[in-house]
């Protein structure tokens, strides 16, 4: 069964294998695919490469950065919001990620939403996204978010079905992105 867990170094091997799968397909994942952030303003930025993440110490630093992103005072680019990164795990293996953004910037209100998720290509069509979104909705409620904005690409029928299965009410489409609202009160 799929579980949402905090990022942890015990998933290094399966995380890197998943990253290789995403690279092979040319897909970008929400949050986890952005390993290099350029410095901007007072934000010092960071850089992680696929090769550097092979080093356990560097992977630990990456994990720590992901976990720290939830703190309101964590360093981040201007305009970026606090975000809880969670990893989807099944049988001790990383199968995907989910990002719960604590608030909406202008961009997130238009296209990104409160929640973004991705499942590694070899683990798709097995219910991981459906279960992860089910587990994330009460986490949004616990953060005081009464309605979660969840989006997907206009042509992503699988993600559309996941969102709609959890009561996502379609509002509109903007720039090729479908926007849904999910009530967190159950």
């Amino acid at each position: 069964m799929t579980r949402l867990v905090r990022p942890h170094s015990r998933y290094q091997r399966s995380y890197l294998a998943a990253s290789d799968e995403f690279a092979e397909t040319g897909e970008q994942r929400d949050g986890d695919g952005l390993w290099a952030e350029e410095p901007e303003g007072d934000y010092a930025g960071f850089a992680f490469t696929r090769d550097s993440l092979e080093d356990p110490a560097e992977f630990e630093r990456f994990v720590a950065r992901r976990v720290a992103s939830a703190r309101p005072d964590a360093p981040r680019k201007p305009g970026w919001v606090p975000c809880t990164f969670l990893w989807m795990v099944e049988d001790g293996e990383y199968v995907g990620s989910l990002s719960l953004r604590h608030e909406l910037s202008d961009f997130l209100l238009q296209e990104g939403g409160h929640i973004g998720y991705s499942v590694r290509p070899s683990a798709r069509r097995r219910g991981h996204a459906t279960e992860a979104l089910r587990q994330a909705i009460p986490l949004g409620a616990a953060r005081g978010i009464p309605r979660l904005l969840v989006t997907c690409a206009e042509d992503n029928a699988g993600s559309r079905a996941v969102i709609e299965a959890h009561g996502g009410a379609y509002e509109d489409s903007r720039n090729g992105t479908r926007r849904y609202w999910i009530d967190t009160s159950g």
Side-chain angles (χ1 to χ4, degrees), residues 5-103:
V5 300
R6 286 175 50 152
H8 194 280
S9 60
R10 75 175 60 98
Y11 305 112
Q12 181 180 12
R13 286 287 131 226
S14 55
Y15 180 91
L16 293 175
S19 295
D20 292 343
E21 288 180 26
F22 282 110
E24 287 172 16
T25 64
E27 297 174 51
Q28 176 163 342
R29 297 166 300 143
D30 184 57
D32 284 340
L34 305 175
W35 291 345
E37 293 188 16
E38 297 299 320
E40 190 174 326
D42 290 333
Y43 175 70
F46 63 86
F48 298 101
T49 66
R50 170 63 179 81
D51 288 342
S52 74
L53 290 178
E54 286 284 345
D55 174 23
E58 188 70 350
F59 195 80
E60 278 285 344
R61 193 170 77 83
F62 171 71
V63 165
R65 178 96 40 194
R66 285 289 181 243
V67 172
S69 293
R71 293 192 338 258
D73 63 341
R76 64 181 49 84
K77 280 185 158 184
W80 287 40
V81 302
C83 177
T84 299
F85 287 97
L86 298 165
W87 289 352
M88 297 176 212
V89 173
E90 182 179 60
D91 298 328
E93 296 289 313
Y94 172 94
V95 296
S97 64
L98 182 138
S99 306
L100 173 61
R101 299 163 192 118
H102 303 178
E103 56 195 65

Side-chain angles (χ1 to χ4, degrees), residues 72-143:
D73 63 341
R76 64 181 49 84
K77 280 185 158 184
W80 287 40
V81 302
C83 177
T84 299
F85 287 97
L86 298 165
W87 289 352
M88 297 176 212
V89 173
E90 182 179 60
D91 298 328
E93 296 289 313
Y94 172 94
V95 296
S97 64
L98 182 138
S99 306
L100 173 61
R101 299 163 192 118
H102 303 178
E103 56 195 65
L104 295 175
S105 65
D106 289 339
F107 170 77
L108 294 174
L109 179 60
Q110 298 302 313
E111 296 182 37
H114 286 102
I115 292 179
Y117 53 84
S118 60
V119 176
R120 67 190 287 179
S122 66
R124 291 183 181 155
R125 304 178 82 85
R126 294 192 218 155
H128 296 301
T130 299
E131 180 58 22
L133 184 55
R134 184 192 69 74
Q135 293 176 39
I137 292 168
L139 298 176
R143 287 219 160 264

